[in-house]
Amino acid sequence: MDKLRLRFEKTGRAVYISHLDLMHTLQRAFSRAGLALKYSEGFNPHPQISIALPLSVGVASVCEILDFRLLMEEDPASLPARLSAVMPEGICVTDCWEPVYKPTLLKYLEIEGVFEYDSRPVPEMRYALEDFFSREAIVITKKTKRGEGPSDIRPAIRSISFAEGERAVLLHAVISAQEPTLNPALLPDALRQLAPEYEPDFAKFRRIENYLENMEIFR
Amino acid sequence: MDKRLERILPRVQKPARYTGGEYNQIIKDKSAVELRVAFCFPDTYEIGMSNLGMSILYHTMNSLDYVWCERVFAPWGDMYAEMKKAQLPLYALESGDSLDSFDVLAFSVGYEMAYTTVLDMIDQAGLPVKSRERESLLPLVVVGGSAAVNAEPITDFIDLFLIGEGEEMNNELLALLRTAKHEGWDKRDFLRRACRIGGVYVPSLYEVSYNPDGTLASMEAKDGAPTRVTKRIVQDLDAAPYPTKPIVPSTEVVHDRVNLELFRGCVRGCRFCQAGYIYRPIRAKKPETLIKQGIESLQNTGHEDVTLLSLSSSDYRPLAGLCDGMLAYCEPRSIGLSLPSLRADNFSMEIMEKLQKVRKSGLTFAVEGGSQRLRDAINKNVTEEDLLHTCAIAFAGGWNTIKLYYMLGLPTETDEDIVGIADMAGRILHCWRENAKNKSRGVKITVSTSCFIPKPHSPFQWEAQISKEEYLRRVNLLRASINSRNVVYNWHDADTSVVEAVLSRGDRRLAPVIEAVWRNGGRLEAWSDYFDYQRWMDALDKFGLSAAFYAERERSVDELLPWDVIDVGVRKEHLKRERERCYASVLSPDCRHACLACGALRLLEGGKCDG
Ligand code: SF4
């Protein structure tokens, strides 16, 4: 059967499942749903299943993209319900279709963040964050494959805005997903490095939507 | 999710093991149940989730609609430190509720090195570790599992023990507890009634006294408690509950697979082996039952592997048929079928070849003793001829890794026997040269030794353990005797074996020692990362006890043993006779050839032992 694409949510307790464990968990879910995955040819065959943008442990998402091939012809519309029924808590398949775009065309991610401040005043923090992230350049020291180096994360932020929440500042942003990849964890990390007085006590993120270069939704 | 936990999880290794939420976990409405059971495994998630017993009892306890049984594991060091720092108490995975909301803490304890972790988990539940300091009935702290066949060292901490197989016994206990909770019994009342349930051992109902030399003088049952507690068994394994919807971990565990239990008990009667005695009588499952349960489990879990478990798979009579039946399902789906605990004989090789169609792995043999004389003495019925023959077939079939396991310090062992281990490895190497088709891949023969631990309820329960120094001398002798690059020698160090020997044959006087080790930071001591030999020796010292008294002292046959209060079915006379035959280097026939009337048969109601 041709390539199919799933959209699924990974929220709640499931956010702690690592990428590698998730691949294994999904394979087993396919098997429980009675859906045989197609295997690659070759000496060490592996199931043809891949995730467009691996998610860091601890980050939630309502827009994960999984591409796969099945051995048998199946109605894509039936798959979300069949798969969701056999998933661990927190993983829910919401859609299935034949891919329109190549995964490499996925350019932007819309994300939400919660920056928790246990004792500092929220309005003040909110202004500080707005101020900080509107700088023209935000150069942090980043671990790369070749050791540590300076890196400007500002160009990877397409848009960013803040609102007040309960003991927290709520972030909404569109960031670059690929080339360059911006790990949202670098946002509070930038504060830690450059403006530690505004670093939140805890930060968490959620992916909301995937976009192409022209901000059309990635399908 | 608890805010504190949410902040900790991103910082610890493998956080998915601390969250629950796996497929097939059992969630109930806590306001609709009457008893909440925290099923505690005193080791990591990865070990506990690989344990078939735990999986079975999780489901049997949850089959009671008035009970919600949830899992609790011991956090690894990094998580433990974070939890202490955040003052986050230990919690159950399903609900995330801390242990103070539970009615029962039920521990499954499979080995003595977990004792300090048991104490630690009781403490993390916010309870006093000593049973008598927990005055109210709830929460009740109970222990089951194979370590309970000598419960004495931890009796101070535990309200009652469940001896033997828990499928029925646990639920009988929970039914009684439900009544007790409704009617408001106090703890004393409850314990006095609980001790009448078959298999339940209530240690506070026994008065213990010692002789001046430290040996046991007497153990008197009070308040209607039985003089000896007889282990419980399941009569009919085919009818026994088996979970075909086990929890599927969302993260890697030690044994990530479907487990099928072929039979309980063992026909072999190796004299050093506790498991071979405490699980008797022998009860097998029908292959039809196994195939049905296996296929259902595979469908319900999506696992890619299934393992046939037992103490000696080759002794399962319908093994070939079972393998064929399972392979018919597994092969087309690329599901691996594995079969540990095979014996080194022809028949087993045929089976191995069948399995290789799906997957190829190394060969492992537990040879135990280095000479035929010693193997006869310990009743390990494997001959060198069989072993070489098996190896020849294996080498010809393309295998090139062989692992051989031995014990050093077995009763009657001599230096000749030890050198014999090296000789045997040499002959296996020679056998490879003669039989291997493709020698360019080389061969790896691994010899491993561990220090023999005399275990309660085995024929060697009276034996002395050799000292650490003597073990090291024997290790060095063997090292010096191995002189081929293709033979690798690994030896386990004896520190853990000494402590294990002390605990497994210990008495109630060890309670303060275990408590002191725990208070000094001892937990997860089955892991070399956390085990500290000196901490044990210091604690023994502090309470005027010595490791040698428990480990290195040969017991006289008429000494009252701390575990005599537990009746596992096999009679003491049988153990004595087997020990005498050891010293005469006489083999005993296995149960297939002749029933030696070990005594375990009386546990079967009118049934037949599948020996
Ligand atoms: S009753 Fe007989 S056949 Fe059964 S385990 Fe004992 S000795 Fe073996």
Side-chain angles (χ1 to χ4, degrees), chain B residues 280 282 591 595-598 601 609 611:
Chain B
R280 288 181 180 203
I282 296 135
C591 299
C595 170
L596 296 173
C598 71
L601 189 57
C609 185

mmCIF file of all heavy atoms in Angstrom, chain B residues 280 282 591 595-598 601 609 611, ligand 1:
data_model
loop_
_atom_site.group_PDB
_atom_site.id
_atom_site.type_symbol
_atom_site.label_atom_id
_atom_site.label_comp_id
_atom_site.label_asym_id
_atom_site.label_seq_id
_atom_site.Cartn_x
_atom_site.Cartn_y
_atom_site.Cartn_z
ATOM 1 N N ARG B 280 7.982 -27.587 44.134
ATOM 2 C CA ARG B 280 7.322 -28.871 43.935
ATOM 3 C C ARG B 280 5.937 -28.850 44.574
ATOM 4 O O ARG B 280 5.703 -28.057 45.466
ATOM 5 C CB ARG B 280 8.181 -29.976 44.587
ATOM 6 C CG ARG B 280 9.442 -30.249 43.811
ATOM 7 C CD ARG B 280 10.223 -31.348 44.486
ATOM 8 N NE ARG B 280 11.441 -31.616 43.721
ATOM 9 C CZ ARG B 280 12.098 -32.770 43.770
ATOM 10 N NH1 ARG B 280 11.675 -33.759 44.537
ATOM 11 N NH2 ARG B 280 13.188 -32.945 43.061
ATOM 12 N N ILE B 282 5.320 -31.121 40.853
ATOM 13 C CA ILE B 282 5.410 -30.693 39.465
ATOM 14 C C ILE B 282 4.027 -30.682 38.822
ATOM 15 O O ILE B 282 3.299 -31.666 38.860
ATOM 16 C CB ILE B 282 6.369 -31.625 38.707
ATOM 17 C CG1 ILE B 282 7.756 -31.455 39.312
ATOM 18 C CG2 ILE B 282 6.410 -31.291 37.226
ATOM 19 C CD1 ILE B 282 8.468 -32.730 39.555
ATOM 20 N N CYS B 591 12.654 -37.380 38.716
ATOM 21 C CA CYS B 591 11.274 -37.786 39.001
ATOM 22 C C CYS B 591 10.636 -38.546 37.849
ATOM 23 O O CYS B 591 9.652 -39.257 38.028
ATOM 24 C CB CYS B 591 10.429 -36.573 39.350
ATOM 25 S SG CYS B 591 11.003 -35.701 40.807
ATOM 26 N N CYS B 595 9.724 -41.868 41.312
ATOM 27 C CA CYS B 595 9.324 -40.894 42.332
ATOM 28 C C CYS B 595 10.023 -41.266 43.623
ATOM 29 O O CYS B 595 9.956 -42.399 44.079
ATOM 30 C CB CYS B 595 7.811 -40.922 42.505
ATOM 31 S SG CYS B 595 7.264 -39.963 43.928
ATOM 32 N N LEU B 596 10.739 -40.320 44.195
ATOM 33 C CA LEU B 596 11.465 -40.608 45.437
ATOM 34 C C LEU B 596 10.633 -40.257 46.660
ATOM 35 O O LEU B 596 11.144 -40.175 47.767
ATOM 36 C CB LEU B 596 12.777 -39.829 45.462
ATOM 37 C CG LEU B 596 13.776 -40.203 44.366
ATOM 38 C CD1 LEU B 596 14.963 -39.259 44.396
ATOM 39 C CD2 LEU B 596 14.241 -41.643 44.530
ATOM 40 N N ALA B 597 9.369 -40.007 46.434
ATOM 41 C CA ALA B 597 8.463 -39.676 47.529
ATOM 42 C C ALA B 597 9.025 -38.555 48.380
ATOM 43 O O ALA B 597 9.222 -38.683 49.578
ATOM 44 C CB ALA B 597 8.187 -40.923 48.384
ATOM 45 N N CYS B 598 9.292 -37.435 47.716
ATOM 46 C CA CYS B 598 9.901 -36.302 48.420
ATOM 47 C C CYS B 598 8.953 -35.685 49.435
ATOM 48 O O CYS B 598 9.384 -34.985 50.338
ATOM 49 C CB CYS B 598 10.356 -35.238 47.420
ATOM 50 S SG CYS B 598 8.985 -34.335 46.642
ATOM 51 N N LEU B 601 3.971 -34.358 47.150
ATOM 52 C CA LEU B 601 2.734 -34.871 46.569
ATOM 53 C C LEU B 601 1.523 -34.598 47.463
ATOM 54 O O LEU B 601 0.415 -34.389 46.990
ATOM 55 C CB LEU B 601 2.886 -36.367 46.316
ATOM 56 C CG LEU B 601 1.782 -37.044 45.513
ATOM 57 C CD1 LEU B 601 1.622 -36.356 44.161
ATOM 58 C CD2 LEU B 601 2.098 -38.512 45.318
ATOM 59 N N CYS B 609 1.485 -36.032 40.636
ATOM 60 C CA CYS B 609 2.639 -35.188 40.386
ATOM 61 C C CYS B 609 3.148 -35.501 38.983
ATOM 62 O O CYS B 609 3.301 -36.661 38.622
ATOM 63 C CB CYS B 609 3.710 -35.481 41.424
ATOM 64 S SG CYS B 609 5.130 -34.401 41.317
ATOM 65 N N GLY B 611 5.837 -35.731 37.754
ATOM 66 C CA GLY B 611 7.276 -35.981 37.823
ATOM 67 C C GLY B 611 7.692 -37.045 36.838
ATOM 68 O O GLY B 611 6.892 -37.624 36.134
HETATM 69 S S1 SF4 C 1 6.423 -36.313 44.567
HETATM 70 FE FE1 SF4 C 1 7.845 -37.688 43.511
HETATM 71 S S2 SF4 C 1 7.705 -37.119 41.365
HETATM 72 FE FE2 SF4 C 1 6.789 -35.437 42.539
HETATM 73 S S3 SF4 C 1 8.438 -34.004 42.923
HETATM 74 FE FE3 SF4 C 1 8.429 -35.350 44.678
HETATM 75 S S4 SF4 C 1 9.860 -36.969 44.127
HETATM 76 FE FE4 SF4 C 1 9.381 -35.904 42.232
#
